Amino acid sequence: MNNIFKNLVLTVFGFIFSAGTALAEETGANLVSLFEIEVIILAIVLIMVFLVFLLWHDAADESSALKRFIAVFMHKLTGSTPIEKEDSIILDHNYDGIKELDNSLPPWWLYLFYATIVFGFVYMLHYHVFNSGPSSAQEYVQEVEFAQAQLAANASGPAITEETVTALTDAGALSSGKDIFIKNCAACHGQKGEGLVGPNMTDDFWIHGGGIKNVYKIIKNGVIEKGMISWKSQLSPAQMQDVGSYILSLKGTNPPNPKAPQGDKYVESDSVKTNQI
Ligand code: HEC
């Protein structure tokens, strides 16, 4: 019995975690919050397994308060009529000795049904009445637009990759980079790049190395297990180049409330500079 129980828990655990990790990789979502959700789901599953285990294990003994509580709780959920009282709900037809009980719908099922009605109503208001969320069709159009912008960007010059990317210094690129930064990155890296959840962008210290090539690589691929998501599915290479260049332009700006330096001091070597020309 013990082994079956252990295997069951391990299977559920493994399944939830692998599904979560795969989802995070595919969507570039923040693994930290996914991890929190996973822990909550796991806790609920474990509590349910525990309750069922308690019930199954000596249901007849109603001596302990916990067992009495579980018995009442289960009765509330199932609304079942005890076998001794079946006579009161038996229907008066009889087909070849097969009798029918007039059981009421189990409350757990009814509550679930009501919940789906509420959910359906909220869903309809959100997506179809107030149009506050993108419909599947709108999401599709957005993705197609994004892909076309990427294609156009690729067609108009050599592809930007972590090998070929260069730091831009013209005002247009930096202001586009700033817009992207405020919209997508400031929540974690601070409005002025001073650092918050993510590291400070204005000092000389870098966890993964400074310089446009390293920075571009991190923006593109993320450091998923540390909470820095991958942006390659949301930003085009040109946008990642702009925001990377903007980050480098923040060096030495000394914003208020800076986060303490993390990583190593980065000195851009001559060889890298020559590479960039
Ligand atoms: C959900 C929070 C979050 C968001 C949003 C976020 N980052 Fe990060 N970022 C982090 C964390 C956390 C790290 C530190 C990773 C580590 O410890 O390895 C990091 C690290 C980095 C690094 C490497 C820093 C170093 O010291 O090596 C760069 C570059 C970076 N982020 C750029 C960006 C850009 C550009 C954006 C927006 C397009 C962005 N980040 C959005 C959390 C975030």
Side-chain angles (χ1 to χ4, degrees), residues 67-88:
K67 278 183 189 147
R68 270 205 307 280
F69 169 76
I70 293 171
V72 171
F73 180 69
M74 288 306 279
H75 182 72
K76 282 238 151 69
L77 280 187
T78 58
S80 58
T81 310
I83 288 196
E84 315 82 69
K85 294 193 185 148
E86 259 177 15
D87 284 347
S88 64

Side-chain angles (χ1 to χ4, degrees), residues 30 32 180-189 197-201 203 205-210 214-219 222-229 231 235 240 243-244 247 259 262-264:
N30 187 349
V32 178
I180 298 168
F181 184 84
I182 298 291
K183 197 161 149 239
N184 301 296
C185 327
C188 291
H189 289 286
V197 180
N200 187 329
M201 297 289 176
D203 56 19
F205 294 81
W206 296 89
I207 303 172
H208 301 283
N214 290 320
V215 166
Y216 184 90
K217 198 155 72 192
I218 296 295
I219 300 174
V223 192
I224 297 190
E225 66 282 4
K226 293 287 178 55
M228 166 66 189
I229 65 182
W231 290 92
L235 298 176
M240 293 192 283
V243 71
I247 287 179
K259 187 170 181 187
Q262 288 167 278
D264 300 318

Side-chain angles (χ1 to χ4, degrees), residues 12-25 29-46:
V12 172
F13 198 80
F15 174 74
I16 295 178
F17 269 79
S18 55
T21 316
L23 190 71
E25 267 168 21
N30 187 349
L31 196 63
V32 178
S33 59
L34 271 177
F35 180 75
E36 283 162 7
I37 297 172
E38 279 168 359
V39 170
I40 294 171
I41 295 178
L42 194 68
I44 295 175
V45 170
L46 285 181

Side-chain angles (χ1 to χ4, degrees), residues 173-196:
L174 292 184
S175 103
S176 135
K178 182 173 182 178
D179 290 346
I180 298 168
F181 184 84
I182 298 291
K183 197 161 149 239
N184 301 296
C185 327
C188 291
H189 289 286
Q191 292 295 323
K192 297 193 158 69
E194 70 273 19
L196 216 60

